[in-house]
Amino acid sequence: MERLSWDDYFMEITRLVAKRSTCLRRHVGAVIVRDKRILATGYNGAPRGLPHCSETGCLREKMGVPSGQKQELCRGLHAEQNAIIQAALSGVSIENSQIYSVTQPCIVCAKMIINAGIKRVVFDDSYPDPLAEKMLREAGVEMVNLQKELS
């Protein structure tokens, strides 16, 4: 039996975290790792204590907002945002870490990743946000698309 690579191991955990998502459009999980140890996890959903989209309906769907546009028109936070916030709430530094996400980060998450000092982003699915990819590369953040590696 072949042993999972570290990237595959943490991505499997990321996919499991995504199953907690309450988004009606896309289930995304994120796991922040340093030195092969999990520092924080997050999934997309409404802020703590507020009703989730699974209860209220999808605001973006009601407004006809296409994927990849106007992220501010949403009740939820992205998985990467929640993982970064969870690390901060716990007093855990994520500088020089890597983040695993089911989906390539959007521009808002990319800027947070850069400022948090995360050095590597590993993801499965592409996301239509060329500015996010451009800024991550400009900042020297390594980007790894596991799906492209398989093809």
Side-chain angles (χ1 to χ4, degrees), residues 30 32 40-48 76-89 109 112:
I32 301 175
T41 67
Y43 53 88
N44 54 333
R48 180 175 31 190
L77 286 98
H78 288 185
E80 301 92 333
Q81 294 167 353
N82 271 325
I84 291 168
I85 291 166
Q86 288 307 312
L89 283 171
C109 293
M112 291 179 71

Side-chain angles (χ1 to χ4, degrees), residues 59-60 63 65 69-76 78 108:
L59 178 63
R60 295 173 58 79
M63 296 176 75
V65 178
Q69 296 179 17
K70 299 184 179 182
Q71 290 94 343
E72 72 277 7
L73 297 177
C74 180
R75 291 185 60 80
H78 288 185
V108 175

Side-chain angles (χ1 to χ4, degrees), residues 32 84 94 96-99 113-114 116-121 141:
I32 301 175
I84 291 168
I94 55 174
N96 296 315
S97 65
Q98 50 193 341
I99 190 166
I113 287 166
I114 292 165
I118 295 171
K119 299 298 182 194
R120 186 170 184 255
V121 176
V141 176

